[in-house]
Amino acid sequence: MIILSNLRLERNVPFAYGKPQARIVCDMEAGFTGVRQFWFSVDDEYGG
């Protein structure tokens, strides 16, 4: 089972190789991994 919580949008996140990013982030609990946060990003202009 995977539990996702605390969904949030971070805007204007610096990115070393291009334009600032918009990032969707959530906290995660899962028995099969030690990863505690999940995110993906797009260019900030598409953040809406």
Side-chain angles (χ1 to χ4, degrees):
M1 177 172 28
I2 301 172
I3 299 171
L4 302 176
S5 61
N6 196 21
L7 181 66
R8 57 204 179 272
L9 173 64
E10 298 174 351
R11 299 294 307 259
N12 206 21
V13 177
F15 185 59
Y17 303 106
K19 300 176 182 177
Q21 302 287 292
R23 189 178 290 172
I24 300 288
V25 184
C26 69
D27 297 332
M28 180 175 84
E29 292 181 42
F32 59 85
T33 182
V35 174
R36 296 289 174 235
Q37 198 173 71
F38 178 77
W39 62 269
F40 69 93
S41 64
V42 296
D43 286 347
D44 195 66
E45 64 186 283
Y46 302 112

